[in-house]
Amino acid sequence: MKLGSPFRPRLLSALLISIFLGSAPATPAQERGELRIATSYKLMTLDPQYANLNENTSLLSHIYERLVYQDDNLELKPGLATSWRPLSDTQWAFKLRDKVRFHDGSAFDADDVVYTIERIRDFLKPPSGGFRSYVSGIKSVSAPDPLTVLIETDGAVPNLPLFFSSLFVMNRPSEGFETTEDLNAGHPPNGTGPYRFESWSSGESLRLARNDDYWGGKPAWSKVTFRVIENPAARVAALSTGEVDVADAIPARDVASLKERGARVASVGAARVNFVQFDVARDTLPGVTDKSGEPIANPFKNPLVRRALTLATDRGILVDKILAGYGTAAAQVFPNGLPGTSANLLPEAPNYDEAKRLLAKAGFPDGFNLVLAGPAGRYPGDAESLQAVAQSWARIGVNAQPAAAPFSVFNTKRAAGDYGVWYGGTSGEAVDIILHSLLASPDPERGTGALNFGKYRNEAFDAMLARAESIAVGPERNAALAQATELVMADQPIIPLYHFHHIVGYGSRIGSYVLHPRGWTTAMQTLPATE
C-alpha cells in the first residue's frame, strides 16, 4: 500500500515499509477487534478499475493491490511486482511476487496482470476519470511464465512503472471480462489485499474482515467498518463521542477542540491541488450573465478575464483563515519542491486595481454575474472557500453566487455541463499525471484530459508535455515538466488555490495513525494502542 509518515513525510522507517506493503503485522498484544472509521469518502463502485477517484482508491486498497506503490517521498517501491526493468525503449519486464493468493484461494500469477491491463484498455468505458490513459500506450502484454509479465508499448513510455502504481490487479475469471454492473450487484470482490470484502451499502458503509492468509503479514484488526459521514461536523462529533475510532478530513478549525476532548490529530501536506476551473469552450454558459441578468458571451474564453480573476483571488485568506494554517498557497499543481514542480511559480498576492484594469480591457468594466459551483464536505474548507473567493471577486465587480452541493450531485452536474466555473480538486502520483488529466487537451485516443471538464486546449503545452513524458525519470524530465507547467499556468486555464494538509483524528484505542501525502484513509494506516 502507499502509506507514509504522519509528521516527517521524508523519513521511511522499517515500520513504514511493512505498512506500505499492505499491513503492519499484528503482535498478540496489538490484535484488536473491530476498527470503526468515519470517512468523507463515499465509495461509488466496487469495480476497482472503473473510476480514478480517491474514495475508490482509498477504500478498495484494502481488498486489491498494485504491482508498484509509492512511498512517502513518492518514490516507487515493489508491491505485487518485486522488480521491473526496460528491455528496450518499447519493452518492459516485470517480475512478480511468488506465493500470493487471492481471497478465494486461487494463486496470483502473470495471467491476472494480463487480464487487468486488457480489461482496462479494451473493455471498460467509464464516462470520465478512469484508468485507460495509464494503459493506452500498451501495444501488447504477455506472460512467458507465471511470474513474468512482458509489455510492449507503441512508443517509449519511460514512466510505465509509475502508471502501474495506480492500477489494482484483479483475478482473471474463467472466461470473458467481469462487468462493473456484476461487481456492484454482488459478485464478491476478489483481491490479494490484507482485508476481505464482507458487505457494502452504497453511500453508507463498507465492512471488511481480516485476511489471515495475507502474504504481507497478519493485519492488526479482525474487522473494519467504514461509515460514510460526508458532513465534517458530524465526523468530528462521531469521533468526540467515541462512536468511531478514526475520522478523516478533519476541518482545521476543529483541531483545537478535538485535542481538548482527548483526541489526537495527525497531519501531512497533500500532494494535490484545489483550484477554480473555467469552461473555456462553449459560447454561452449557465449562470453567467451581465449585471441585469441577461446571458452574455462566455467571458472565460478571454485570457484577460481569467488573469483578472486570478489577481482578484486572495489565497492568504483561504490558507490562514479557512484552513487555519493547515495548507499552502498554490501556484501550480504540486507543492514546490516535489519532482516536476517549477521554482519560478510562486503564489501572488491579490492586486485588485490591476484586476479591474484587465477586466475593463477585456470589455467588462462593470463586471458580470456568475454562479460559482463546488462540492460541500468533499475537501477541507470547500464550502467556505467558495464564499471567500466570491467575496474577493466582488471587489472587482464580478458578483459570484456560491452554489455548494454534495460531491455526488456536484460531480454529476459538472460532467453534464451544468456549470460555467467551479471549484474542484485533484491528486495524482506525479506532476505529469495531473497535467495529463487536468490541463492537456481532451483526447480519448491518447487518454488525455479526463479531468479537463473546461475543455481547455493548448497545442504548445500539449507538445511540451508530450516531450517531457518521453524523457526517462530524472532531472531532465523534471525540468521539462516544470517548463511545461510554466507555459500553461501563464494562460490561467485554472486558478490554483491551495495544497491543503490532510488531517485525521483518532481516539484512545489507536496508538498512531500513519499519513501519506496522497491522503488515503485505510485500516493499514491505523496502529492499535498497546496496553
Side-chain angles (χ1 to χ4, degrees):
M1 308 319 304
K2 308 182 208 173
L3 315 173
S5 168
F7 302 115
R8 300 178 65 186
R10 298 296 176 258
L11 179 62
L12 186 63
S13 67
L15 172 63
L16 292 182
I17 291 174
S18 66
I19 295 174
F20 286 145
L21 290 177
S23 177
T27 65
Q30 286 180 310
E31 289 188 19
R32 295 294 184 269
E34 182 182 12
L35 173 67
R36 305 161 301 168
I37 300 177
T39 182
S40 60
Y41 290 143
K42 183 178 180 180
L43 184 62
M44 302 178 73
T45 176
L46 291 178
D47 187 337
Q49 298 169 354
Y50 184 75
N52 188 9
L53 297 170
N54 249 16
E55 47 266 70
N56 295 340
T57 299
S58 178
L59 299 185
L60 292 180
S61 67
H62 296 79
I63 302 169
Y64 297 96
E65 296 183 288
R66 309 168 180 87
L67 293 180
V68 183
Y69 75 91
Q70 287 179 296
D71 66 15
D72 60 350
N73 204 20
L74 303 187
E75 299 292 339
L76 300 181
K77 301 295 179 181
L80 289 176
T82 58
S83 65
W84 50 89
R85 64 188 179 94
L87 304 178
S88 69
D89 286 345
T90 59
Q91 291 183 318
W92 286 81
F94 286 76
K95 291 295 183 180
L96 306 183
R97 194 173 297 276
D98 196 8
K99 298 179 181 178
V100 175
R101 292 196 171 275
F102 287 93
H103 295 162
D104 67 356
S106 60
F108 160 72
D109 63 24
D111 281 340
D112 301 304
V113 179
V114 173
Y115 170 78
T116 290
I117 293 172
E118 292 179 343
R119 181 175 187 266
I120 297 170
R121 186 192 62 188
D122 304 331
F123 179 70
L124 288 182
K125 293 181 173 57
S128 62
F131 294 96
R132 180 169 293 180
S133 63
Y134 295 92
V135 298
S136 60
I138 294 178
K139 182 178 180 180
S140 65
V141 54
S142 59
D145 65 65
L147 296 179
T148 302
V149 176
L150 294 181
I151 294 174
E152 183 176 356
T153 58
D154 287 321
V157 185
N159 225 18
L160 188 65
L162 176 64
F163 292 167
F164 285 137
S165 72
S166 291
L167 306 181
F168 287 125
V169 176
M170 293 180 66
N171 183 220
R172 179 187 285 276
S174 57
E175 59 181 29
F177 293 105
E178 287 187 278
T179 68
T180 300
E181 292 73 20
D182 285 342
L183 288 168
N184 289 339
H187 286 203
N190 184 29
T192 60
Y195 290 91
R196 302 170 182 267
F197 174 82
E198 279 204 338
S199 66
W200 171 54
S201 179
S202 179
E204 295 181 8
S205 65
L206 174 68
R207 298 183 186 277
L208 306 165
R210 178 167 56 201
N211 176 14
D212 289 329
D213 298 323
Y214 180 56
W215 64 268
K218 187 177 180 180
W221 305 96
S222 61
K223 299 280 187 180
V224 180
T225 297
F226 283 90
R227 288 177 52 193
V228 178
I229 304 178
E230 294 187 88
N231 182 277
R235 286 196 304 278
V236 170
L239 178 61
S240 299
T241 60
E243 293 178 40
V244 298
D245 303 302
V246 176
D248 65 16
I250 297 295
R253 64 177 179 270
D254 292 318
V255 168
S257 63
L258 272 177
K259 289 181 176 180
E260 289 174 358
R261 285 176 270 180
R264 285 173 289 173
V265 170
S267 69
V268 70
R272 61 172 305 121
V273 65
N274 284 69
F275 52 86
V276 171
Q277 189 173 33
F278 304 103
D279 185 322
V280 299
R282 289 180 286 176
D283 293 332
T284 59
L285 298 174
V288 179
T289 70
D290 61 19
K291 289 299 183 68
S292 65
E294 294 298 319
I296 59 175
N298 182 353
F300 308 129
K301 286 188 173 186
N302 191 328
L304 293 177
V305 173
R306 302 196 298 269
R307 177 62 179 159
L309 293 173
T310 299
L311 288 174
T313 301
D314 190 341
R315 296 171 176 87
I317 288 178
L318 302 177
V319 170
D320 297 335
K321 303 298 183 182
I322 295 174
L323 298 180
Y326 284 90
T328 306
Q332 53 191 314
V333 298
F334 263 12
N336 283 26
L338 288 179
T341 57
S342 169
N344 299 323
L345 291 175
L346 301 173
E348 297 178 276
N351 186 335
Y352 298 109
D353 290 338
E354 177 64 8
K356 287 180 181 178
R357 187 189 71 81
L358 292 175
L359 209 58
K361 185 177 180 181
F364 300 97
D366 299 323
F368 51 88
N369 299 335
L370 60 83
V371 173
L372 179 59
R378 168 73 171 181
Y379 310 110
D382 48 15
E384 296 91 337
S385 293
L386 288 179
Q387 296 283 347
V389 171
Q391 291 171 10
S392 291
W393 289 359
R395 297 184 61 170
I396 64 170
V398 175
N399 296 331
Q401 176 186 345
F407 179 71
S408 56
V409 176
F410 164 78
N411 196 40
T412 299
K413 289 189 173 184
R414 179 180 59 180
D418 290 353
Y419 303 134
V421 55
W422 56 88
Y423 161 99
T426 189
S427 64
E429 300 82 356
V431 163
D432 54 306
I433 299 294
I434 295 184
L435 296 177
H436 192 90
S437 63
L438 183 64
L439 297 174
S441 299
D443 186 339
E445 293 299 319
R446 294 181 56 232
T448 57
L451 300 179
N452 184 354
F453 295 105
K455 301 297 188 289
Y456 172 75
R457 295 181 180 275
N458 184 326
E459 292 183 1
F461 167 68
D462 291 341
M464 290 184 71
L465 179 60
R467 177 187 173 274
E469 292 178 323
S470 72
I471 302 171
V473 173
E476 184 182 353
R477 181 189 182 94
N478 291 338
L481 287 170
Q483 291 172 0
T485 300
E486 291 171 8
L487 177 95
V488 73
M489 291 316 307
D491 204 23
Q492 305 286 180
I494 63 170
I495 303 176
L497 298 178
Y498 51 75
H499 313 287
F500 65 71
H501 294 178
H502 297 295
I503 308 175
V504 169
Y506 55 97
S508 60
R509 296 181 66 233
I510 309 305
S512 64
Y513 189 89
V514 184
L515 272 167
H516 185 276
R518 293 290 306 281
W520 296 288
T521 302
T522 75
M524 293 81 76
Q525 296 164 263
T526 312
L527 305 183
T530 56
E531 298 177 350

